[in-house]
Amino acid sequence: MSKRFAELVVAGLAILIGFSVALAARVGEPAPDFTATDTNGKVHKLSEYRGKFVVLEWTNRDCPYTQKQYNSRNMQRLQREWTGKGVIWLTIISSAPGKQGYVTASEENAYLKEINAAPTAVLLDPTGAVGQLYDAKTTPHMFIINSQGTLIYNGAIDDRPTTDLADVNGAKNYVSVSLQEATSGKPVSNPTTRPYGCSVKYPN
Amino acid sequence: MALQGHIRIVLFSALCAMLVSAKRANGQLPVESHAKVELMAEENTMPAGKSLWIGILFHLDEGWHIYWQNAGDSGEPPKVQWELPPGFAVGTIRWPQPLRLGSGSIVDYGYQGEVLLMAPMDGPTRSRVISIPSICAVVKYIVCREICVPGKAQLTLSFPQASETSQRRALFGRARAQLPKSVPASWRTSAESDKDHFILFVRTNSQVHSAAFLPVKPGEVENSAAQGFVSTGRGFRLTLQKSTQLTKSISVLRGLVVLGPGRAFEVAVPVVAR
């Protein structure tokens, strides 16, 4: 037990430090419940939407991957289409104060009007608590919860991991496909995909 | 075969068609650049019957990074679209050993400072003198620090001037030294899989004090999870948490075993269910 053992322990610790394990929301399991306040001061509790499908969309308006979806109007179109069919669409901002994408409620409301966005609500998560609960990695990162409160999709917005607007057309939109499948009683064909985008700007 | 010595390359000054036809992605705002990108050849002659190494050199602003072939949790690797004269072909990019970037729940793999992404180029094998109309490439990449900025570079291959040859060779030599190496013949590797983990066993026949595994494919290993390292005297084992994105079992675990800077080894280990 020796110096050598001590070295091993130190090496092991060195690897452990700086890593942290987030327990992600897993497809097929109950979606973790949370409470968050929207840009109009209204409090939303996920479990209160039991009986409806819920989409969670992580966003950061200054991220080029998010801009690809909004500048092409694709995200707004999806929000209109699915909220029109009774789906609850919650856009979530987990950028910490001082970091890219952090906004106040009034800034966000003005922006929503400017870009003509149509989510059910935009939730402000400056502590990153909701983001960490779902292990949201990127903007965008999309989750779908079914009417029983089970997570049925966790992953990318689509299958073209680029910032090119031109890639929106012709991409397979996983959110659309999953919602179409699930709302017509079919299993989701690609329930887990790799999200792509900018990292979520959590507090340090 | 009469092909010996070097084939002389004659460069045309023709513009790359893609340079002429390339348009800015519509609707995207011009953005600040945090990377200077060049396309260069290691030599100004093409060894007969051998590849000429060419490379995309990124000079990144301080603190900014681009991504490895597996970007990790965010970002994306640079993508190259070649435009080559008939008879020419460029092989796959040889990715140097990346850095582990980020902290907390989001971990990426990439490069900072200066990085050369090398690839072998082959030309027509019959003639001794090759006239090369310009070799061109469009490189799309995303460069990030705290924030991310997409970039696009339209490049024409440059050959070293006589005064630059030793400097150029040194640059490629440094990049070559950073390439992952084949696993030494004396090593033995194996891997087991349980519900939530891969356990990678590496017998090196020497004492190893620390090691890390970098997955070459996204979505197999949880990038931000602690890797349980245990020295076994004749080697080590690493316990790797499976990615939540992994929905099917995999038969081979591919990646780099990293023992230190310049000491990355490419492994492809069959996975046995525990």
Side-chain angles (χ1 to χ4, degrees), chain A residues 4 7-8 11 15-16 19-21 24 64-65 99-100 132 137-138 161-164 192 194-195 197 199-201, chain B residues 28 72-76 100 105-106 140 142 146-148 150 207 209 211 218 222 224-227 231 241 244-245:
Chain A
R4 176 136 287 175
E7 280 170 1
L8 289 180
I15 288 173
L16 283 168
F19 287 66
S20 76
V21 183
Y65 294 92
K99 295 215 171 186
Q100 189 192 48
Q132 298 285 6
K137 303 265 194 205
T138 58
T162 71
T163 57
D164 274 0
T192 305
R194 176 179 178 262
S199 57
V200 176
K201 309 306 178 195
Chain B
Q28 280 178 329
D73 288 327
S74 70
E76 63 181 291
R100 189 178 186 279
S105 62
I106 301 171
K140 289 182 184 173
I142 187 138
E146 176 63 25
I147 64 168
C148 295
Q207 189 103 47
H209 298 299
E222 195 65 32
S224 59
Q227 299 189 347
S231 173
Q241 190 184 316
T244 50
Q245 294 156 29

Side-chain angles (χ1 to χ4, degrees), chain A residues 129-140:
Chain A
V130 181
Q132 298 285 6
L133 186 65
Y134 277 77
D135 197 18
K137 303 265 194 205
T138 58
T139 52

Side-chain angles (χ1 to χ4, degrees), chain B residues 13-273:
Chain B
S13 58
L15 262 184
C16 302
M18 59 169 57
L19 292 186
V20 177
S21 67
K23 289 181 205 129
R24 229 183 45 213
N26 54 349
Q28 280 178 329
L29 296 169
V31 288
E32 52 189 321
S33 168
H34 295 281
K36 193 171 148 245
V37 193
E38 297 175 75
L39 176 61
M40 52 176 60
E42 183 172 17
E43 307 282 346
N44 54 22
T45 56
M46 199 158 192
K50 284 191 186 168
S51 302
L52 172 68
W53 286 87
I54 63 175
I56 299 156
L57 181 66
F58 285 83
H59 304 268
L60 300 161
D61 285 357
E62 197 181 339
W64 292 78
H65 62 265
I66 55 165
Y67 294 88
W68 188 41
Q69 57 180 317
N70 172 11
D73 288 327
S74 70
E76 63 181 291
K79 289 189 190 73
V80 187
Q81 188 195 334
W82 299 102
E83 185 177 288
L84 304 168
F88 284 80
V90 177
T92 56
I93 288 174
R94 309 299 202 260
W95 300 88
Q97 178 179 348
L99 299 166
R100 189 178 186 279
L101 302 163
S103 59
S105 62
I106 301 171
V107 166
D108 300 321
Y109 308 109
Y111 306 101
Q112 294 175 326
E114 183 185 272
V115 61
L116 183 69
L117 304 180
M118 294 197 304
M121 183 174 78
D122 294 302
T125 51
R126 297 243 175 97
S127 73
R128 283 186 63 84
V129 178
I130 300 173
S131 298
I132 306 180
S134 301
I135 303 278
C136 306
V138 172
V139 182
K140 289 182 184 173
Y141 57 92
I142 187 138
V143 56
C144 303
R145 191 172 64 182
E146 176 63 25
I147 64 168
C148 295
V149 179
K152 181 176 175 180
Q154 297 159 339
L155 307 170
T156 304
L157 186 66
S158 73
F159 294 89
Q161 304 291 313
S163 61
E164 295 174 316
T165 48
S166 60
Q167 198 189 344
R168 185 66 59 87
R169 281 180 195 149
L171 176 70
F172 275 76
R174 284 198 303 275
R176 222 164 249 129
Q178 285 301 312
L179 293 182
K181 293 154 185 63
S182 301
V183 165
S186 60
W187 283 24
R188 293 291 174 269
T189 57
S190 62
E192 294 179 358
S193 166
D194 67 20
K195 182 171 172 285
D196 294 323
H197 302 91
F198 296 111
I199 304 106
L200 175 65
F201 300 86
V202 180
R203 202 179 82 191
T204 57
N205 295 313
S206 62
Q207 189 103 47
V208 174
H209 298 299
S210 71
F213 178 80
L214 307 187
V216 79
K217 285 191 184 167
E220 293 185 346
V221 170
E222 195 65 32
N223 302 305
S224 59
Q227 299 189 347
F229 171 84
V230 175
S231 173
T232 57
R234 298 173 70 191
F236 61 91
R237 72 170 184 266
L238 278 172
T239 301
L240 311 168
Q241 190 184 316
K242 287 183 179 174
S243 168
T244 50
Q245 294 156 29
L246 186 66
T247 52
K248 289 179 251 182
S249 62
I250 59 168
S251 55
V252 179
L253 185 64
R254 292 176 201 280
L256 305 183
V257 166
V258 178
L259 303 186
R263 295 183 70 209
F265 300 91
E266 259 170 352
V267 295
V269 189
V271 177
V272 178

